[in-house]
Structures are given as C-alpha cells and as structure tokens.
Amino acid sequence: MLHTIIKKNSYQDSINLMLLTNSVSTMEGLNKVQIMMATPANKDIFKTAGLHTPELEAAESNDMAIVVDTDDASLIDKVLEKVDQYLQDQSISNKKQSFETVRTWDKAVDALPGANVAMISVPGQYAADEADKALDRGLHVFLFSDNVSIEDELRLKQKAHDKGLLVMGPDCGTGILDGVPFAFANVVNKGRIGIVGASGTGIQEVSTIIDRLGEGVSHAIGTGGRDLKDPIGAITMMDGIRALENHSQTEIITIISKPPAEHVRNEVMELLQSLTKPVVAVFLGEKPEQYVGNVYQAYTLAETAYIAVDLAKGNEVKPDYNAGDFTVENADLKEGQRTLKGLYSGGTLASEAAILISDALGLGTHIKNEEGYVLKHEGHEVVDLGDDKYTQGKPHPMIDPETRSKFIEEAGADSSTAVILLDFVLGYGSHDDMASALLPSIKKAVATAKEDGRTLHVVATVCGTKNDPQSYDGHVKALKEAGIIVKETNNEAVRTALSIVGLQVEDNQKKHVEGEKSGKEFDLSVSDEIASLVSDRPRVINVGLKGFTDALADTGTQFVQYDWRPIAGGNARMAKILSLLK
Amino acid sequence: MKYNSMDEANKAVIDKITGSAPFLVDVVPAKEKVKELNEGKVLLHAGPPIKWEDMTGPMQGSCIGASLYEGWASSPEEAEKQLAAGEVKFIPCHHVNAVGPMGGITSANMPVFVVENRTDGNEAYCIMNEGIGKVLRFGANSQEVIDRLKWMQNVLGPTISKALKLTEDGLNLNVMIAKAITMGDEFHQRNIAASLIFLKEISPFIVQVDMDETDRKDVIQFLADTDQFFLNIAMATGKAVMDAARQIEAGTVVTAMCRNGKDFGIRISGMGDEWFTAPVNTPQGLFFTGYSQEDANPDIGDSAITETFGVGGMAMIAAPGVTRFVGAGGFDDALATSNEMAEICVSQNSNFTIPTWDFQGACLGIDARKVVETGIEPVINTGIAHKKAGMGQVGAGTVRAPKECFEKALEAYAIKLGLIE
C-alpha cells in the first residue's frame, strides 16, 4: 500500500534527500521509500520505482514528496517524524555557520565583491545557464555538474576563452587551486608541480602520490572529461597549460587525460613542446615508448607522479617506474578460481585497472565502457560504479557504500573470482569512513568463499593524503587488519592482483629522444584574469551543494554560499519569460 | 519602452521612490478628496475589487458599521439588507488615491490624512487609526465604535488639520520615518517610535489651536495612547510614493500589494493600474489568549503598501522588539528575513538606514522577476482579524504574498511587450 506525504515548499538538494531516503529506508516494516523533490523528472523516477501516486502527481517542483510502500499504515507518522528529525538536526548543525548564504547571483556578488571563481553543482539541465551567468559576471567556472550537452560545453568554453576565463568542467569532480580543494579533492601539500587534468580520480591519484612522495602541487586544474575530444579541442586544457607556464611557482607541468582525438593530441603536444618547463603527460590507454624533448609521457598515473617528483627534485628520469615484484606469498587458488573483479568508485582508477589487465591479457590497452563495465572478458570484470548507470537516483559510491557492497558480495559468491580489487578514495566530499562501511560486505564475501573452500583475495589501494579529513593511515591499518592487501598506488594494486592469477604486464623501457620543434609559434600569454587565478587564493561563490563549503571553510578561503534553487521553481514558461524580461 | 533594459527601467522607478518628498499636509473628510464618495452610497474597501458576497466577516462588519456611521441605516440588520441588495457601491481605495487598513472601509465623512508627494505633486489618503480592540477596521460596529468614529470626525480630525496648517509646511515624513527606523520601528507591526515623533512634532501646534480644553486633553490623550497611530500615515506615505513611481510605466518593480480577504493583488510598474491577483494566504502568528489559528481571517488590508515601500516585514530587522510577536524566532530570524527580502529587491534605500542591519538601507523596489526567479515571496507583517465580523483583532503574525500574482504580472508584461504569446 502506497502512502504519500507532501511537504509544501520545502526545498532540499537531491544528495541530501538521497541520504535521507537511505536513512529512512532502514526502518523496519517499510517495503520501499523514496524522498525527492516533486519535479517532473523525479516524478518519472517515482513511476519507475512503482511509487507513483495521485498526490505526488499534484505536487509541485518546490514540494518535497515522500512516498512510502508499507503494509503498516501506523508507520507513516514515524516516517514523518524521522524525516523532520533529520532535517531539524541538519538545520541545527548548520546553525553556527559564519559565512553568508544568499539566494541570487546579485546578492552573491554583493556579498563577496572580489569573487573570482564560481563552483557550480546544480542539476545538469540548469548548469549551463548558471555557468553562463557566472561568466557574465567575470568569474572563472568550476562546473561540477554533469549532463551538460557538448554544444553547451563548447559555447561556454569559447565564451570563457574570449573573456580570458576558464571553464573547469563540466563533470569536473576535482580540483585544487592554490591548495584549496574543490569538490571531491584531497588535502595536498602545496608545491611546484602543476596539474591540468581531464579526469577526476586521475588528478586525485597523481596529486596524492606526489604528496606522499614529499613533493607538492601548485594547482590542479580540472577540464572535464570531454575537453580533449571533438569539437571542444582542448580549450580549457590549453588555457590551463598556458596558465601554469606563466605561473612562476610551478616548475613542472603535468597533464592527465584519456587519449585525445588525433588532431587535438597533435595540437596539445605541439603546445607542450613549445613550453619552457618540463612536462609529464599521461594519456590513459597509450603505452608510450619514449620520452620526447621536454615531454615525458607516462603509462600509468603512478608513473606520472614519480616522473614529476623526480623532475622536481632534479633527479634523472628513469626509463620505467611501473615494473616491480608484485608476488604474493601463499596465494592459494582453487581450481577454476582465476578471474579478477575490479569494483571501483573512481572512474579513472577503474580505467587504469582495465588497461593494465587488458594489457596483461594481450588485448591491447584501449578502454571501452559498456554499461559501466570498462572491462568484461572471460569472467574478468572491472566496473566503474560511479558511472551514470549506477548513480541514477543514488549517491555516488564514494559517498555511499550500498551499491559497491552488493557487488562485493556478488563477486564473493562467484566461484571463478580469485581477487577483488577495490579503491578507497579519501578527501573532501567522500564518505567519512568508507573502510568501516565496506568491511562488513568484504568479510561476508570472504566468508562465503571460505564456506565454498576458496580463498578470496582482496587487494586495495587508498587514494589520499595524511592531511585528508579521513585518516589515510587509519584506513590502511583497518584494511590490513582485515586481511586485505593494501598497495601504495592503483598501478601496484592491479599488478598485485594480476600476479595472484599468474599474469603480468610487460613494460617499455622508454628512451629519451630529442624533441622536434614544430616551428609553429604558440602564443603563451594569458589573460589578467587567468594570471590572477593562479597567482592568488581563489575567492569562491559556491552555487549549489553546501557540503563543498567545508573545504573552503577549513582552508580559510573567502566564499559565499549561494543556496541555488531551480529558476521559477522549475516552471519552464516562467523561466523563459524571465529570460526575455531583461 | 523608452528604456534600454529592464534594469534601467527599474532604476528609474527606484529613483522615483528615493527622490520622493512626502509631506503630511492635512486631515479632511474623505469626500473632499474623493469625489466618488459624493455620488450616493459609496464605500471604499481594501484590496483589489471585490463584491459584497465575497467579502469576509471583518470587511462585511466594517461595511455595516460605516452604513450606521453615515446614517444610511439605523440598525445593523437594515444595513446588511441594503448592502446585500446592492444599494451600496464599492470602490477599491487604491482606485481613488487611497489606502485603508484591514477592511479598509472608508466612507464620505471619515477624516483622512492627506499626504502630498512634493516631487510629483500627487496626493494619497488614508483614514486615521482608531486604536486597538473593538475597531471598525477589524469589523466591529457597536455603538462604541460608531461614537469613536464620530469623535474622530468632529474633534480629532479637525484638531490635527488645524495644527498641521500651523506648521506652514506640513510634516516632512521622510525625516520622521528615517528617525523612527533607527528607533526600532518597521512601520507595520511597530509604530510606537514614529507615533511618538508625530506627537512630538504636532503637540506644540495642538496647544496653539483655539479649541475646547477638554477636547484638547482628549486629543493628546488619544495620541499618547495609540501606539499604531503612525501606521495609517505610513500607509498614505507609501501610497503617495509608489503612485508617483507608477508613472514610469515600465519595469518590473512592484508598485502596490493589497488584500481584500479573498484575493491578493499586486501592480507592477510596467503594467500601470492593472491588478494581478491570486487567492490570499492566511497569516500565521501569535494569538491573544482564547484565540487560535482557527479563528484567523484570511489576509486582508491595504497595509501591505508599507512592504511595497520597503518597510514592514521587509524591514523586520529594524524592529527586533516585535520579531517574536510576528512569529519570527528572534534577532537571527529577523536578520535572516530581511536578508532574504533584500534578495528580491532592486536595491536598498539610503534614506532609511537601519542600525541593526549594520546601517544598510531598507529594502527598495521589490522586483517581481526576482520573486518569480527565486520563489521568495515578500513577507508581510500583519494584524490578524477574527474571521467573524465584529470580534476585532485576535493576533498578529506574518503572511506571504502569493507567488502566482507575480507570475501573472510578468506574463502579462511579457505579452504586452510582444516578447511572448
């Protein structure tokens, strides 16, 4: 029996409501519960979940809808009580905030006149408009939102470029500007290595390894995953590279991307070779055979970090950093136990795992993605659980353990599974203690295998630093105590998993050859706005998810929180009228 | 539109508001200023147009009281019969340069304040405040109420009129408002400071008026007792200023907000005197002992002209003393309310700086676009009438202007400008 509670004009952002849904779901006696804002799109999600009711249909975009499927009607009051308590606790815990909260762009700019970056995390359908407004106000844009069309991305990036501004994103999960973590990012020591990256966990993996090796990062500029594809043509990447070239504290430039479109790759490479600073580049899926001129191309994320650190320290760059001894003592396997299951929360880490496994299997190194599976071959599987496929109506696996727990238990029950590979991504935005959240499922999976007479091996990597809000050492310790093999980098973790099933990757010994200057003249200058972005502390208008302000507050960054809501409550005709009445 | 952009038009509107020079110049019988009141049985009422049968209890009760006061009927029953039979013509106060609190019922012989806006030469009128308790504006119509209205007609009105004439120039209302806002008034729920300033300004002249000494004492006593006396002056001030701003005839600034107990009506600068209405909300707040939310009449009165002008609920932070009374939790809530209201306004009024708001100016020019964009509805501080006629005020609280009015106004304006079909 379906019960509907509508809380009129009670706006909460979707992540909050998902967490609330999870919290309410734990109540005994409920078959199913869903709490969302009653927008047209969400009504469809209710419909799909079999939770659509006439009361819900009548509700409006600014109403919070709670639909409960239960046979016990007396639980409804308790649900409401729990919802109110949750929202109340949240409002109390938010009470002591010392920053200004605004509801319009005008007030945001009034409240922080020196703002130079807008961090935007509004639902995708509204993101391009808000980014446009930020650019109109002369702000660089950090666009966390996804589901922005490629046409909008191109238009925004061209507009930004013409105005001397940067659009970092869309779908930009991470960034570090002058030591300030943006969105899902780690607390990384400041230093002389600058990063421009088109991948979220790619930046996180490289920057945290750099930190753990004792070096630091000047800036890590995210570009969004499509920046090096057609038709964007690396607009943000190239402006980001110029920014770091002009930033005197940056001595080494590191770029991270999936393989770019051919002509984009050539153009970026020509730009890199025209720089005065040494460059480390990784195009995940390309297996480089040599270092060319000032550009050191790496095969893995870890290798990228190691090369950058050696360059920063003035050490000679080695021909290879990937190979090593990854043998595991006493790795028992039962007959038929031969497959690897990579269950990743980080998309780029998943891709890297897929590349290495694929390489070891002799299948080449290019990445595909079928329904979130970046590798699916003869029982070997690597899945990116942060893929859209798994995050519709659910929080990202870096925040919420639920989906991954399910996959871990399934992998444990599969008699072919030899190794489960996991990533634990720390930093702002991520779960407070993912190790503790996942350990019950891991232990269950190991126990299930044991009952079946199998030893299930679990290999993990922790992506984080000692200064992250979660404890890096605590994570490593907790995982090791549970019998999990914990490796320093994702590269090492994957190779360890491979060695358990008797596979290994052959690595290239990269020679250093002279670069060929293309003869093309590159303009390496940057706008005043970009120069000031990299030379000063960012001053931020956070548009959307309030949780992102934690990192800003902790680092003493000036910011204002813009509690964004859909324009005109999501009413499309009114939004159009507003756009016309200018 | 003669402006290059909506922002430019709105700027012109708010320049009119800040440039206005309202003066309290006289008190006269309403019929002297509103010619329509001389044409048979005519009553002015609050809010957008409404028919007798749609009026809520308090407004109907006021109509009965006004009929008795004007001598059209000798009993409430007779009055009600005439009203129900359609013998009395109704006109919104706003259509004749007037505003009226709660029911807003204004008849020919009631004395009204005359506020002159010297920048544009226009005038606005509002009946005088009767005090609290059993009063006509809340629908009470007993003999006590009628007797007080007669006294106001025969003694209070003429006395203040004579005193004002002795001032030669009238009273400069911008100055009085600017002073009182620093003394904790927001001019809707709290007017005690402004009422005292009025008393301070007027009493040296009242003592010079040639009149009966008992009457003089009664007048002074009444002014000393009536904490909300200035509310009606503030309302006429808001009306005079916002009517002048309406002459810009462009832009999206709200130039009037009012309620008749059934509908909430607004006007915006680009749409002249057209009303955009939606069903009113019912105020939430604190109730006098013995009454509850159940008894509350839906939102009523022209007093939301104060919020339109940027004070009242919009300036909640100026009056921490009444924030709890009107339902806000305390100082922080008042601050949050005013900060929220600033989000939907074009600017802030440097004429009226608020010490408790770190000397920021009061809200200036509600932009209907911002209301629709953010969904933040203007907040109105208001008295709460009992829904039954004659029971009077039962509490005070806040109420929101329904978003729908603003949506309708913008849609009509976009159509008028040919921007959309």
Side-chain angles (χ1 to χ4, degrees):
Chain A
M1 170 90 189
L2 296 184
H3 302 266
T4 311
I5 305 164
I6 302 294
K7 289 173 85 71
K8 294 292 284 177
N9 287 319
S10 176
Y11 182 88
Q12 294 285 333
D13 71 59
S14 59
I15 288 202
N16 220 350
L17 290 182
M18 287 170 196
L19 293 170
L20 172 58
T21 301
N22 284 356
S23 153
V24 173
S25 299
T26 58
M27 287 174 67
E28 293 272 330
L30 302 185
N31 302 328
K32 218 191 266 184
V33 60
Q34 178 82 267
I35 306 171
M36 293 181 123
M37 299 307 294
T39 61
N42 287 346
K43 284 177 186 171
D44 286 342
I45 294 177
F46 275 103
K47 215 171 266 174
T48 320
L51 292 171
H52 192 264
T53 66
E55 296 97 309
L56 167 69
E57 191 54 45
E60 294 177 54
S61 297
N62 277 341
D63 301 340
M64 186 195 300
I66 307 164
V67 181
V68 183
D69 178 6
T70 177
D71 305 321
D72 181 359
S74 71
L75 286 174
I76 301 306
D77 284 345
K78 291 201 182 111
V79 168
L80 191 56
E81 209 174 287
K82 186 147 184 157
V83 168
D84 287 340
Q85 188 62 44
Y86 182 95
L87 297 174
Q88 168 91 33
D89 288 351
Q90 160 185 282
S91 71
I92 289 170
S93 65
N94 285 349
K95 212 155 197 174
K96 281 293 161 204
Q97 56 187 232
S98 55
F99 53 90
E100 201 159 338
T101 298
V102 300
R103 286 284 307 280
T104 52
W105 274 109
D106 287 352
K107 280 289 155 198
V109 174
D110 284 352
L112 189 59
N116 64 344
V117 183
M119 171 151 53
I120 299 175
S121 54
V122 304
Q125 72 209 87
Y126 305 106
D129 280 351
E130 298 308 326
D132 236 336
K133 291 177 198 168
L135 293 175
D136 287 339
R137 286 166 173 78
L139 300 167
H140 301 286
V141 173
F142 181 98
L143 192 51
F144 176 79
S145 310
D146 58 1
N147 293 318
V148 174
S149 74
I150 190 102
E151 294 77 20
D152 281 336
E153 179 174 347
L154 179 61
R155 181 177 58 77
L156 290 169
K157 285 186 169 172
Q158 280 171 341
K159 177 172 174 172
H161 180 79
D162 292 345
K163 294 175 83 93
L165 298 168
L166 277 185
V167 173
M168 296 165 263
D171 201 10
C172 189
T174 190
I176 302 168
L177 293 174
D178 197 37
V180 178
F182 277 63
F184 287 78
N186 303 88
V187 182
V188 173
N189 280 328
K190 273 179 74 170
R192 43 196 168 166
I193 301 170
I195 300 173
V196 192
S199 84
T201 41
I203 291 179
Q204 288 189 273
E205 175 81 346
V206 172
S207 61
T208 54
I209 296 172
I210 288 171
D211 177 284
R212 296 201 303 269
L213 292 173
E215 276 293 320
V217 169
S218 57
H219 300 285
I221 298 169
T223 65
R226 295 185 301 216
D227 192 66
L228 282 82
K229 301 219 164 98
D230 270 325
I232 310 296
I235 297 174
T236 302
M237 171 74 72
M238 302 221 280
D239 279 341
I241 292 167
R242 287 188 195 97
L244 295 178
E245 167 76 8
N246 282 278
H247 179 236
S248 56
Q249 288 96 319
T250 298
E251 295 173 16
I252 316 294
I253 296 172
T254 299
I255 68 165
I256 306 167
S257 171
K258 289 177 183 164
E262 185 61 31
H263 68 96
V264 179
R265 186 187 191 286
N266 293 340
E267 202 173 345
V268 171
M269 274 305 195
E270 280 178 9
L271 173 65
L272 292 175
Q273 279 162 353
S274 73
L275 302 182
T276 61
K277 298 179 181 178
V279 176
V280 191
V282 60
F283 296 120
L284 277 169
E286 282 188 17
K287 196 169 181 178
E289 288 166 358
Q290 56 191 16
Y291 303 135
V292 182
N294 64 329
V295 181
Y296 298 82
Q297 198 183 337
Y299 180 35
T300 64
L301 297 167
E303 186 172 50
T304 307
Y306 282 107
I307 297 174
V309 168
D310 269 345
L311 285 169
K313 289 185 170 154
N315 298 336
E316 199 181 327
V317 176
K318 297 174 195 151
D320 171 63
Y321 292 81
N322 290 309
D325 180 8
F326 301 108
T327 332
V328 174
E329 300 293 321
N330 309 320
D332 301 340
L333 291 179
K334 199 181 165 187
E335 177 83 31
Q337 214 188 337
R338 49 163 203 85
T339 64
L340 306 181
K341 302 286 194 275
L343 308 177
Y344 278 87
S345 61
T348 310
L349 297 175
S351 296
E352 185 179 54
I355 289 160
L356 291 168
I357 295 169
S358 180
D359 189 359
L361 291 169
L363 301 171
T365 59
H366 70 281
I367 321 161
K368 32 180 201 271
N369 185 342
E370 285 157 12
E371 307 239 292
Y373 282 86
V374 284
L375 177 82
K376 203 169 191 177
H377 183 79
E378 293 176 349
H380 298 295
E381 290 173 1
V382 179
V383 55
D384 169 13
L385 294 167
D387 189 271
D388 287 350
K389 172 102 170 50
Y390 305 103
T391 52
Q392 294 289 339
K394 281 195 179 301
H396 195 277
M398 285 185 201
I399 303 173
D400 183 86
E402 194 188 310
T403 309
R404 198 139 69 131
S405 295
K406 206 173 97 226
F407 272 81
I408 289 170
E409 288 172 28
E410 279 171 17
D414 179 343
S415 63
S416 82
T417 305
V419 187
I420 295 177
L421 252 172
L422 299 170
D423 63 338
F424 290 82
V425 181
L426 311 186
Y428 281 101
S430 291
H431 192 280
D432 287 344
D433 185 0
M434 189 55 88
S436 300
L438 282 184
L439 275 177
S441 305
I442 296 171
K443 286 177 178 160
K444 199 166 158 190
V446 170
T448 309
K450 195 161 200 164
E451 281 166 28
D452 193 32
R454 291 177 282 130
T455 307
L456 180 64
H457 302 275
V458 182
V459 181
T461 175
V462 182
C463 175
T465 73
K466 288 193 165 40
N467 293 317
D468 275 330
Q470 306 89 343
S471 156
Y472 177 84
D473 292 336
H475 260 72
V476 172
K477 186 161 172 269
L479 294 171
K480 280 186 172 163
E481 279 171 7
I484 295 167
I485 302 166
V486 184
K487 288 291 171 180
E488 188 73 14
T489 67
N490 188 46
N491 173 54
E492 289 182 21
V494 177
R495 286 166 189 260
T496 303
L498 283 167
S499 89
I500 293 174
V501 295
L503 290 169
Q504 66 171 17
V505 178
E506 296 300 327
D507 291 287
N508 293 332
Q509 297 299 311
K510 299 180 276 296
K511 287 195 301 286
H512 197 164
V513 301
E514 279 300 309
E516 280 180 51
K517 296 281 175 193
S518 67
K520 190 167 158 187
E521 280 293 313
F522 276 93
D523 178 6
L524 294 175
S525 66
V526 293
S527 68
D528 292 348
E529 289 80 4
I530 289 178
S532 126
L533 176 71
V534 290
S535 62
D536 292 341
R537 256 299 144 108
R539 295 168 302 277
V540 185
I541 296 174
N542 183 46
V543 188
L545 296 174
K546 196 179 247 172
F548 287 167
T549 60
D550 291 351
L552 305 178
D554 291 353
T555 49
T557 306
Q558 287 183 52
F559 70 96
V560 52
Q561 166 65 19
Y562 174 1
D563 271 354
W564 183 90
R565 299 183 192 190
I567 288 177
N571 178 331
R573 180 165 167 87
M574 285 321 302
K576 167 134 196 258
I577 289 170
L578 287 170
S579 74
L580 295 170
L581 286 174
K582 289 290 178 198
Chain B
M1 196 168 83
K2 64 178 177 180
Y3 300 94
N4 293 320
S5 71
M6 213 49 74
D7 286 344
E8 207 177 283
N10 288 347
K11 175 76 169 48
V13 177
I14 62 167
D15 284 349
K16 273 274 189 197
I17 299 171
T18 49
S20 66
F23 281 73
L24 178 61
V25 293
D26 206 351
V27 175
V28 300
K31 64 186 177 190
E32 281 188 23
K33 290 295 184 180
V34 180
K35 64 175 182 351
E36 291 84 347
L37 289 172
N38 298 302
E39 298 159 2
K41 294 175 185 168
V42 180
L43 291 178
L44 308 183
H45 65 79
I50 189 168
K51 292 191 287 239
W52 163 259
E53 54 269 30
D54 293 331
M55 291 177 182
T56 53
M59 194 185 275
Q60 287 193 339
S62 304
C63 291
I64 292 168
S67 296
L68 295 169
Y69 165 78
E70 290 292 341
W72 299 336
S74 51
S75 70
E77 293 72 25
E78 189 190 353
E80 192 166 352
K81 219 161 124 190
Q82 290 174 358
L83 288 156
E87 288 178 26
V88 177
K89 187 182 173 194
F90 293 109
I91 303 174
C93 293
H94 266 288
H95 291 191
V96 291
N97 305 324
V99 279
M102 301 311 287
I105 299 302
T106 303
S107 66
N109 290 296
M110 291 181 189
V112 293
F113 291 115
V114 179
V115 172
E116 180 189 345
N117 177 12
R118 297 219 167 123
T119 344
D120 286 84
N122 66 308
E123 289 181 345
Y125 319 110
C126 184
I127 51 172
M128 305 177 83
N129 194 286
E130 310 158 72
I132 54 167
K134 297 258 180 289
V135 288
L136 188 81
R137 67 179 186 277
F138 283 100
N141 51 34
S142 62
Q143 194 56 46
E144 176 195 349
V145 174
I146 308 300
D147 289 347
R148 188 189 305 111
L149 289 174
K150 286 288 177 193
W151 176 78
M152 290 168 76
Q153 176 187 335
N154 297 324
V155 179
L156 181 65
T159 305
I160 294 177
S161 172
K162 286 174 199 155
L164 283 170
K165 289 196 177 110
L166 290 173
T167 65
E168 290 182 7
D169 203 29
L171 297 181
N172 186 333
L173 292 164
N174 275 346
V175 172
M176 293 168 74
I177 289 171
K179 284 179 181 168
I181 208 165
T182 69
M183 296 164 72
D185 278 359
E186 43 70 88
F187 309 100
H188 198 164
Q189 195 57 48
R190 189 184 199 270
N191 280 282
I192 189 165
S195 298
L196 285 171
I197 292 170
F198 175 77
L199 181 57
K200 170 177 94 70
E201 295 295 326
I202 203 75
S203 44
F205 299 100
I206 291 179
V207 298
Q208 296 175 47
V209 173
D210 179 19
M211 67 187 291
D212 177 76
E213 284 306 318
T214 313
D215 285 346
R216 190 189 326 271
K217 178 186 158 292
D218 288 349
V219 165
I220 295 290
Q221 189 66 52
F222 182 85
L223 294 177
D225 288 345
T226 308
D227 293 352
Q228 286 283 70
F229 193 77
F230 193 81
L231 169 59
N232 302 41
I233 301 172
M235 286 173 62
T237 306
K239 175 68 174 166
V241 172
M242 298 314 293
D243 270 357
R246 202 145 58 87
Q247 296 162 9
I248 296 293
E249 293 181 339
T252 54
V253 174
V254 176
T255 54
M257 294 196 289
C258 61
R259 322 81 104 194
N260 60 26
K262 175 173 172 277
D263 291 320
F264 196 109
I266 71 158
R267 285 168 165 171
I268 63 167
S269 52
M271 290 302 289
D273 56 10
E274 192 171 342
W275 291 109
F276 299 95
T277 64
V280 290
N281 296 314
T282 299
Q284 309 277 318
L286 289 182
F287 289 85
F288 304 152
T289 309
Y291 298 100
S292 71
Q293 191 69 47
E294 294 281 287
D295 301 309
N297 194 73
D299 196 18
I300 189 166
D302 285 337
S303 53
I305 193 72
T306 57
E307 277 82 9
T308 318
F309 183 44
V311 293
M314 307 293 288
M316 188 85 92
I317 188 59
V322 295
T323 54
R324 307 197 86 133
F325 192 53
V326 295
F331 188 84
D332 287 346
D333 283 358
L335 178 60
T337 302
S338 280
N339 282 343
E340 189 186 31
M341 291 304 114
E343 301 265 15
I344 53 172
C345 290
V346 177
S347 186
Q348 288 176 296
N349 194 334
S350 53
N351 295 338
F352 308 136
T353 59
I354 302 174
T356 42
W357 208 10
D358 202 16
F359 296 93
Q360 292 184 73
C363 287
L364 174 59
I366 299 171
D367 186 344
R369 293 178 304 169
K370 293 185 175 182
V371 174
V372 173
E373 180 184 333
T374 60
I376 300 173
E377 297 168 326
V379 68
I380 293 158
N381 285 352
T382 186
I384 304 177
H386 197 290
K387 61 187 174 190
K388 265 169 56 192
M391 300 288 288
Q393 184 172 7
V394 293
T398 58
V399 67
R400 295 275 182 159
K403 190 175 62 186
E404 202 186 332
C405 301
F406 302 84
E407 292 179 347
K408 284 181 178 168
L410 291 186
E411 185 157 19
Y413 191 30
I415 290 169
K416 179 183 165 190
L417 293 175
L419 299 171
I420 198 166
E421 303 215 328

